[in-house]
Amino acid sequence: MKARVEVFLKPGVLDVQGKAIEAALHGLGFPGASDVRVGRLITLDLAATDKSTAEAEVKAMADKLLANQVIESYQILIH
Amino acid sequence: MKARVEVFLKPGVLDVQGKAIEAALHGLGFPGASDVRVGRLITLDLAATDKSTAEAEVKAMADKLLANQVIESYQILIH
């Protein structure tokens, strides 16, 4: 099965990368861009063949390695 | 309108970050993880109120700033 993990900074956490991109977009002539946020997108293949096993495995991966839960939240999609 | 841009390394390009995560996952007890790839996910708000204007604007942003088209490809979603 294939999995997709989206990792974003939690709402209250300042997204410096997003702010930098927003400022650059304004400078490039896109004044309408606002609330820019940058996250990571991790895709992977899994050996597991059923959805619930795959989901549990990817959740464990995200908790252990893919996301820093102090400042980040994640979302998993199995397909 | 809200936009979402997903930026990934093109298929032929070696994804070092993905390889590092894959090796770390194997070390953590997830031998079934393979073909790990890491991308960027950029979300933003737009002043544009119709979908086609928004789409054209975000495409220009991606071409100019958000993606390095020599090695990366991107996908836009307006919602």
Side-chain angles (χ1 to χ4, degrees):
Chain A
M1 305 206 84
K2 284 182 184 292
R4 210 181 133 91
V5 184
E6 296 180 7
V7 183
F8 268 102
L9 284 169
K10 286 182 178 171
V13 182
L14 177 69
D15 183 346
V16 251
Q17 217 185 335
K19 288 283 169 226
I21 291 179
E22 191 172 317
L25 286 175
H26 293 170
L28 283 169
F30 302 105
S34 63
D35 197 23
V36 181
R37 301 201 53 95
V38 182
R40 283 194 307 286
L41 188 55
I42 299 143
T43 60
L44 64 155
D45 279 1
L46 294 163
T49 47
D50 73 296
K51 202 173 168 172
S52 62
T53 311
E55 205 152 2
E57 206 172 45
V58 176
K59 197 184 170 312
M61 289 177 191
D63 288 341
K64 283 190 186 167
L65 182 78
L66 305 179
N68 172 2
Q69 286 188 89
V70 177
I71 54 167
E72 294 171 330
S73 58
Y74 63 83
Q75 218 174 350
I76 292 169
L77 189 85
I78 307 286
H79 55 112
Chain B
M1 304 208 83
K2 285 180 184 294
R4 209 181 134 93
V5 184
E6 295 180 7
V7 183
F8 268 103
L9 284 169
K10 287 182 178 171
V13 181
L14 177 70
D15 184 345
V16 251
Q17 215 184 336
K19 287 284 169 224
I21 291 179
E22 191 172 318
L25 286 174
H26 292 171
L28 283 168
F30 302 106
S34 64
D35 197 23
V36 182
R37 298 199 60 93
V38 182
R40 281 194 309 285
L41 188 55
I42 299 142
T43 60
L44 63 155
D45 279 0
L46 294 163
T49 48
D50 73 295
K51 199 172 171 173
S52 62
T53 311
E55 205 151 2
E57 207 172 44
V58 176
K59 198 185 170 313
M61 290 176 189
D63 289 341
K64 283 188 185 167
L65 182 79
L66 305 178
N68 172 2
Q69 285 187 92
V70 178
I71 54 166
E72 293 172 329
S73 58
Y74 63 84
Q75 218 174 351
I76 293 169
L77 189 85
I78 307 286
H79 56 113

